[in-house]
Amino acid sequence: MIAPFMVYLYLDLNYWQYTKNVRIAYHPDEKTIEINFPEKSYLIKEGDIKNIETISSGGRVRFGYSIYSLMNGDSFILTDRMPGTWAIQEYFKKIPFQWTEKRFPVIKYGSFVESKLM
């Protein structure tokens, strides 16, 4: 009976480290999105996102995260616990998208690939 709660708590804590202190701002006049991470900021416009790969558990209690690969070689992770991430695909319609279902979509430490220059 306690096992499902423990899995939920583990995934929630795992996602929290990728969600805390991240801010997304939409600028409709310029048609850009500003994503601020504690260590780096991105100003994304049409054509900057190469592809999005989403890994999700599906089901009623859904956990998922997306890996955004940029044209400049950078990539970052946004979880579904972050408000407004769903709108990125609505904002920029022609982004190649891949969806994968995993039973326990844990974000492994070191999955965050920031910049090849760093």
Side-chain angles (χ1 to χ4, degrees):
M1 179 103 168
I2 198 162
F5 175 74
M6 295 301 289
V7 169
Y8 179 89
L9 183 63
Y10 176 76
L11 285 173
D12 202 38
L13 289 172
N14 178 249
Y15 282 40
W16 177 75
Q17 65 184 341
Y18 291 91
T19 304
K20 67 178 179 180
N21 300 322
V22 178
R23 304 285 180 254
I24 300 176
Y26 291 89
H27 304 287
D29 294 338
E30 299 90 28
K31 189 119 173 143
T32 60
I33 301 172
E34 185 178 352
I35 303 174
N36 296 306
F37 293 93
E39 50 293 314
K40 191 170 185 174
S41 294
Y42 294 98
L43 185 62
I44 299 172
K45 59 186 182 314
E46 187 79 42
D48 286 349
I49 300 175
K50 183 168 54 172
N51 64 11
I52 301 172
E53 181 183 357
T54 298
I55 295 90
S56 179
S57 63
R60 269 189 284 161
V61 181
R62 185 169 299 190
F63 277 88
Y65 63 94
S66 296
I67 303 169
Y68 294 81
S69 298
L70 303 178
M71 292 295 190
N72 68 2
D74 289 4
S75 63
F76 56 85
I77 292 174
L78 294 175
T79 71
D80 64 356
R81 298 300 189 243
M82 166 133 311
T85 57
W86 62 271
I88 294 174
Q89 286 180 285
E90 292 297 317
Y91 211 64
F92 305 126
K93 297 280 188 192
K94 297 179 182 178
I95 302 172
F97 176 78
Q98 178 184 350
W99 192 81
T100 304
E101 188 171 325
K102 287 188 178 179
R103 189 169 182 175
F104 301 107
V106 175
I107 305 171
K108 293 180 176 56
Y109 180 75
S111 293
F112 181 74
V113 179
E114 193 177 295
S115 174
K116 294 181 178 179
L117 301 174
M118 297 180 109

